[in-house]
Amino acid sequence: MPGRHRLEFVTPVGPIKHRRLPRGLPALFPAAPEPSGAEAPGAVADLPFEAPNVGDAQRRVEAAQLPSTGLWSLPNVALDAGRLGPFWVSAASVAGRRHGWSGQTRQDSYAVELSRDGTAVVLVVADGLGSRPVSQLGARHLTKSVAGAVAAADLTGLAETGEEVLLAGIERAQQELADVWGPAYGVEDSRLLACTIAVVVLPTDLSAGPVLVARVGDATVLSATDAASEPFTGIFATGEGPVNVVSASIPSAAVRHEVEIRRLDPDGIGKLVLCTDGLADDVYESPGIRGWLARRWTHPCSERWMLETLSYARVGSQDDRTAVVVWLRPGPEPVTSADAGEAGTDED
């Protein structure tokens, strides 16, 4: 079948090495001005974090500003953890420092779902385009719609029909965005809701078929191990430029030609991480963050563990961070905070 979405068995593109990429992100949204006569909040109470500071990074908790448009906004934090079918899934999405300081909403979302017939788990992450001020609505509803459409399909023959199931599910979700969710929010042009997306369809019986992995744009999927050296392997090639340069997004009239699909042998996978570019950038750029995440995700973990895991501070890391981690073969013992260790410092 012609096109970028040709289904084939592939090996991951290789371990993630240290790459020096441009620092920070463009200031798409200026910082909101201080209200006239507003007083500084003083010290803001917070729990201590073991999450590291890499470089001269500042969390500046007291500088946070809430978005002023409640109808359009997502919570600053979303967390989930628990069993889904036979697997443990932990997920977190947190607003980036740039968003928090400027009073801009989080634009990332995720969704997880067990298929109706119980034969597969569907995992989805999405990142609303920063240049589209209501794209968080697209990310929110596309993740749920894609997960729901794929979960409702017959997934018993992934080896034969998996590609079409994924493509049809994404097409259906973007049509629903244009026909239902856009009008519900008064958004006439669905392109204002554009986002990137990554999807994993994981058979509950690992001997029954391949793991299907798809993406549009710069959201991505990583294979992870417990190795001390180079624990993450990219499923999709990144090219030579910055990870966060968006080459494609949905909704798109040419979505079938823009979806990249890979089929993976589950025997070679211990766990998978779906993530948006805010986290992927740090994994690619920072040896310290790679080591920190690898130690934190050695074993299945709780929601609070996920929140602290993504609470590190790093110079140049200002975008939303979203990760959905699924353990195909979880270890027998839980990890403790002390076992997780510190990321130390980077010489980026």
Side-chain angles (χ1 to χ4, degrees):
M1 181 181 297
R4 293 179 65 186
H5 56 266
R6 183 174 61 239
L7 195 63
E8 57 185 354
F9 273 100
V10 299
T11 56
V13 298
I16 291 171
K17 304 293 185 181
H18 183 162
R19 301 175 60 199
R20 189 175 298 278
L21 300 180
R23 295 287 188 185
L25 296 168
L28 298 174
F29 295 88
E34 288 287 344
S36 176
E39 296 182 0
V44 177
D46 193 13
L47 292 173
F49 282 105
E50 294 188 9
N53 280 14
V54 177
D56 187 19
Q58 301 295 324
R59 287 193 174 88
R60 290 175 53 195
V61 176
E62 71 284 352
Q65 299 190 56
L66 292 176
S68 60
T69 53
L71 175 65
W72 309 98
S73 300
L74 303 182
N76 280 341
V77 175
L79 299 168
D80 283 291
R83 190 165 295 280
L84 192 64
F87 309 115
W88 187 273
V89 176
S90 298
S93 182
V94 299
R97 290 186 297 156
R98 173 172 59 86
H99 289 194
W101 296 343
S102 64
Q104 181 191 2
T105 184
R106 175 172 58 91
Q107 293 177 302
D108 287 2
S109 284
Y110 64 82
V112 301
E113 193 161 342
L114 181 66
S115 69
R116 307 296 188 272
D117 58 13
T119 62
V121 164
V122 186
L123 312 169
V124 190
V125 300
D127 181 1
L129 299 190
S131 60
R132 314 290 171 86
V134 293
S135 62
Q136 69 274 6
L137 302 177
R140 175 186 178 185
H141 292 293
L142 273 169
T143 51
K144 295 182 181 298
S145 294
V146 169
V150 175
D154 181 2
L155 299 177
T156 55
L158 284 179
E160 293 77 26
T161 63
E163 178 186 33
E164 182 56 33
V165 166
L166 276 172
L167 291 170
I170 293 172
E171 282 185 320
R172 176 179 173 182
Q174 72 171 18
Q175 192 63 49
E176 185 176 292
L177 191 67
D179 294 344
V180 178
W181 295 113
Y185 289 98
V187 178
E188 297 181 359
D189 186 351
S190 62
R191 291 174 297 181
L192 297 176
L193 305 170
C195 61
T196 65
I197 195 168
V199 186
V200 167
V201 182
L202 178 63
T204 51
D205 179 0
L206 293 177
S207 66
V211 179
L212 296 180
V213 181
R215 74 167 180 179
V216 178
D218 59 6
T220 196
V221 181
L222 310 171
S223 176
T225 70
D226 297 335
S229 175
E230 303 304 343
F232 296 100
T233 301
I235 302 302
F236 298 97
T238 60
E240 297 301 322
V243 177
N244 60 356
V245 172
V246 179
S247 59
S249 62
I250 54 175
S252 168
V255 67
R256 281 184 171 255
H257 296 286
E258 293 174 343
V259 178
E260 298 177 78
I261 299 179
R262 301 289 185 269
R263 179 162 43 166
L264 306 177
D265 182 352
D267 286 342
I269 302 172
K271 53 198 161 195
L272 290 171
V273 181
L274 294 80
C275 56
T276 55
D277 67 333
L279 184 69
D281 284 348
D282 291 332
V283 172
Y284 278 97
E285 291 188 42
S286 171
I289 297 304
R290 289 200 294 275
W292 163 256
L293 296 177
R295 290 189 292 275
R296 297 287 293 187
W297 291 336
T298 300
H299 297 274
C301 59
S302 69
E303 301 96 327
R304 288 182 296 174
W305 188 268
M306 284 292 288
L307 176 59
E308 182 167 324
T309 300
L310 298 193
S311 294
Y312 61 85
R314 180 175 181 270
V315 173
S317 178
Q318 298 179 0
D319 200 6
D320 296 341
R321 298 170 184 162
T322 298
V324 175
V325 188
V326 56
W327 285 262
L328 279 66
R329 298 170 180 84
E333 298 295 333
V335 66
T336 67
S337 183
D339 294 334
E342 296 278 347
T345 60
D346 270 351
E347 296 180 0
D348 291 342

